[in-house]
Amino acid sequence: MSAAIEDGYGYGPYTVEDLHGLPDEGKAHELVDGWLIELSPSFRDDHLAKLLTRILERAAEDFGADVYVQAPMDISTPSGARKPDVAIVSAAAARTAYDLGLSLVPGGDVQVAIEIVPRGSGSEREDRGRKVIEYARTGIAQYWLVDFDPRPRIQIRRLDGSSYGEPIILEEADVLEVSDPFPISFPLSRLTDFS
């Protein structure tokens, strides 16, 4: 380890090895510019991540897409290590990362990164600001921001060169429909489903 970590934190700057060397206390972290950022997912975040994962896996299976969907997924970015709430990579990229024993999936292999945005949290600023730039520079083709306050809403950003274009904004009454990396279609109202 490059820095002493006491009670989960030390003085930094930290490395990916430090990140993965943290004790497993049910807490998730990201590594940003050498600093550990503790994430605080809520019941709602976990529920939406699981629901979106099921929707995406079913759509991929129906289409026969050879992809890997995980919630959350550790990915590398220029600033360190991020943990999108849900991510999609090709199965080939996932196999390569697994075979090489990588602790992070290369961010450039991520086809879709999804962040569930908890309003008023410290991560909201990161999700709406810095990650928009960082994920684009990483080469992630699509970045979805899922907002739930007061009702379901999704912003879809698509890579246009080295940055994301204007977001497509979908509200609760809308149907999300994208054709890549494989056809995905579902009404946003499903995000309130507990069945």
Side-chain angles (χ1 to χ4, degrees), residues 51-161:
L51 185 58
L52 281 166
T53 299
R54 284 196 306 264
I55 290 168
L56 296 171
E57 286 175 335
R58 179 167 291 154
E61 185 178 317
D62 289 348
F63 184 71
D66 195 18
V67 297
Y68 179 69
V69 181
Q70 183 173 325
M73 181 182 289
D74 293 326
I75 66 170
S76 63
T77 69
S79 70
R82 292 292 193 171
K83 189 182 284 284
D85 293 305
V86 182
I88 302 171
V89 299
S90 71
R95 276 191 290 275
T96 298
Y98 177 82
D99 290 345
L100 294 175
L102 300 179
S103 58
L104 302 170
V105 172
D109 289 338
V110 177
Q111 298 170 340
V112 178
I114 302 171
E115 295 287 1
I116 297 163
V117 183
R119 288 253 174 144
S121 71
S123 64
E124 180 179 15
R125 185 181 61 225
E126 286 284 306
D127 293 344
R128 293 188 193 283
R130 184 170 179 163
K131 286 183 183 179
V132 173
I133 296 165
E134 189 176 332
Y135 285 0
R137 287 185 180 156
T138 302
I140 298 172
Q142 291 183 51
Y143 179 33
W144 298 6
L145 286 164
V146 179
D147 190 354
F148 206 83
D149 291 319
R151 305 301 304 157
R153 176 181 163 163
I154 295 181
Q155 289 184 27
I156 298 175
R157 295 179 176 266
R158 295 177 187 274
L159 198 57
D160 183 11

Side-chain angles (χ1 to χ4, degrees), residues 17-61:
E17 290 79 19
D18 295 326
L19 173 68
H20 290 111
L22 288 173
D24 184 7
E25 297 173 338
K27 297 177 183 177
H29 295 80
E30 290 182 331
L31 177 68
V32 182
D33 296 330
W35 300 103
L36 296 170
I37 309 293
E38 185 175 314
L39 305 177
S40 54
S42 67
F43 172 76
R44 181 182 285 172
D45 295 346
D46 290 343
H47 169 72
L48 287 172
K50 288 177 185 174
L51 185 58
L52 281 166
T53 299
R54 284 196 306 264
I55 290 168
L56 296 171
E57 286 175 335
R58 179 167 291 154
E61 185 178 317

